[in-house]
Coordinates of all heavy atoms in Angstrom, one line a residue:
Chain A
I59 N -70.9 23.9 29.5 CA -72.0 23.1 29.1 C -72.3 22.1 30.3 O -73.5 21.9 30.6 CB -71.7 22.3 27.8 CG1 -71.4 23.3 26.7 CG2 -72.9 21.4 27.4 CD1 -70.7 22.6 25.5
M60 N -71.2 21.6 30.8 CA -71.4 20.7 32.0 C -72.3 21.3 33.1 O -73.1 20.6 33.7 CB -70.1 20.3 32.5 CG -70.1 19.4 33.8 SD -68.5 19.2 34.5 CE -68.3 20.8 35.4
G61 N -72.1 22.6 33.3 CA -72.8 23.3 34.3 C -74.3 23.2 34.0 O -75.2 23.0 34.9
S62 N -74.7 23.5 32.8 CA -76.1 23.4 32.4 C -76.7 22.0 32.6 O -77.8 21.9 33.1 CB -76.3 23.9 31.0 OG -75.7 25.1 30.8
V63 N -75.9 21.1 32.2 CA -76.4 19.7 32.3 C -76.6 19.3 33.8 O -77.6 18.8 34.2 CB -75.3 18.7 31.7 CG1 -75.7 17.3 32.0 CG2 -75.1 19.0 30.2
A64 N -75.6 19.7 34.6 CA -75.7 19.4 36.1 C -76.9 20.2 36.7 O -77.6 19.6 37.5 CB -74.4 19.8 36.7
L65 N -77.1 21.4 36.3 CA -78.3 22.1 36.8 C -79.6 21.4 36.5 O -80.5 21.4 37.3 CB -78.3 23.6 36.3 CG -77.3 24.5 37.0 CD1 -77.3 25.9 36.4 CD2 -77.7 24.6 38.5
G66 N -79.6 20.9 35.2 CA -80.8 20.2 34.8 C -81.0 19.0 35.7 O -82.1 18.7 36.2
G67 N -79.9 18.3 36.0 CA -80.0 17.1 36.9 C -80.5 17.5 38.3 O -81.3 16.8 38.9
L68 N -79.9 18.6 38.8 CA -80.3 19.1 40.1 C -81.8 19.4 40.2 O -82.5 19.1 41.1 CB -79.5 20.4 40.4 CG -79.8 21.0 41.8 CD1 -79.5 20.1 42.9 CD2 -79.0 22.3 41.9
A69 N -82.3 20.0 39.1 CA -83.7 20.3 39.0 C -84.6 19.1 39.2 O -85.7 19.1 39.9 CB -84.1 21.0 37.7
V70 N -84.2 18.0 38.6 CA -84.9 16.7 38.8 C -85.1 16.4 40.2 O -86.2 16.0 40.7 CB -84.3 15.6 38.0 CG1 -85.0 14.3 38.2 CG2 -84.3 15.9 36.5
V71 N -84.0 16.5 41.0 CA -84.0 16.1 42.4 C -85.0 17.1 43.1 O -85.8 16.7 43.9 CB -82.6 16.2 43.0 CG1 -82.7 16.1 44.6 CG2 -81.8 15.1 42.5
L72 N -84.8 18.4 42.8 CA -85.6 19.4 43.6 C -87.1 19.3 43.3 O -87.9 19.7 44.1 CB -85.1 20.8 43.3 CG -83.6 21.1 43.7 CD1 -83.2 22.5 43.4 CD2 -83.4 20.8 45.2
V73 N -87.4 18.9 42.1 CA -88.8 19.0 41.7 C -89.5 17.6 41.8 O -90.6 17.5 42.3 CB -88.9 19.5 40.2 CG1 -90.4 19.5 39.8 CG2 -88.4 21.0 40.2
S74 N -88.8 16.6 41.3 CA -89.6 15.3 41.1 C -89.3 14.3 42.2 O -90.1 13.4 42.3 CB -89.3 14.7 39.7 OG -88.0 14.2 39.7
S75 N -88.3 14.5 43.0 CA -88.1 13.5 44.1 C -89.1 13.8 45.2 O -89.7 14.8 45.3 CB -86.7 13.6 44.7 OG -86.5 14.7 45.4
Q76 N -89.2 12.8 46.1 CA -90.2 12.8 47.1 C -89.8 13.8 48.2 O -88.6 13.9 48.5 CB -90.4 11.5 47.8 CG -91.2 10.5 46.9 CD -92.5 11.2 46.4 OE1 -93.3 11.7 47.1 NE2 -92.7 11.2 45.0
P77 N -90.7 14.6 48.8 CA -90.3 15.5 49.8 C -89.8 14.8 51.1 O -90.2 13.6 51.4 CB -91.6 16.3 50.2 CG -92.7 15.7 49.3 CD -92.1 14.6 48.5
N78 N -89.0 15.4 51.8 CA -88.5 14.9 53.1 C -89.1 15.9 54.2 O -88.4 16.7 54.6 CB -87.0 14.9 53.2 CG -86.4 13.9 52.2 OD1 -87.0 12.9 51.9 ND2 -85.2 14.2 51.7
P79 N -90.3 15.6 54.7 CA -91.0 16.6 55.5 C -90.2 16.9 56.8 O -90.2 18.1 57.2 CB -92.3 16.0 55.8 CG -92.4 14.8 55.0 CD -91.1 14.5 54.4
E80 N -89.6 15.9 57.4 CA -88.8 16.1 58.6 C -87.7 17.1 58.4 O -87.5 18.0 59.2 CB -88.3 14.8 59.2 CG -89.4 13.9 59.7 CD -88.8 12.5 60.0 OE1 -87.7 12.5 60.4 OE2 -89.6 11.5 59.8
N81 N -87.0 16.8 57.4 CA -85.8 17.7 57.1 C -86.3 19.1 56.7 O -85.7 20.1 57.2 CB -85.0 17.2 55.9 CG -84.5 15.8 56.1 OD1 -85.2 14.8 56.1 ND2 -83.2 15.8 56.4
W82 N -87.4 19.2 56.0 CA -87.9 20.5 55.7 C -88.4 21.2 56.9 O -88.0 22.4 57.1 CB -89.1 20.3 54.7 CG -89.9 21.6 54.5 CD1 -91.0 22.0 55.1 CD2 -89.4 22.6 53.6 NE1 -91.4 23.2 54.6 CE2 -90.4 23.7 53.7 CE3 -88.3 22.8 52.8 CZ2 -90.3 24.8 53.0 CZ3 -88.2 24.0 52.1 CH2 -89.2 25.0 52.2
A83 N -89.0 20.5 57.8 CA -89.5 21.2 59.1 C -88.3 21.7 59.9 O -88.3 22.7 60.6 CB -90.3 20.2 59.9
A84 N -87.2 20.9 59.8 CA -86.0 21.2 60.7 C -85.4 22.6 60.3 O -84.9 23.3 61.1 CB -85.0 20.1 60.6

Side-chain angles (χ1 to χ4, degrees):
Chain A
I59 304 165
M60 175 189 78
S62 306
V63 176
L65 281 174
L68 179 62
V70 172
V71 171
L72 296 183
V73 174
S74 73
S75 71
Q76 286 311 307
N78 296 328
E80 290 170 32
N81 299 76
W82 173 259

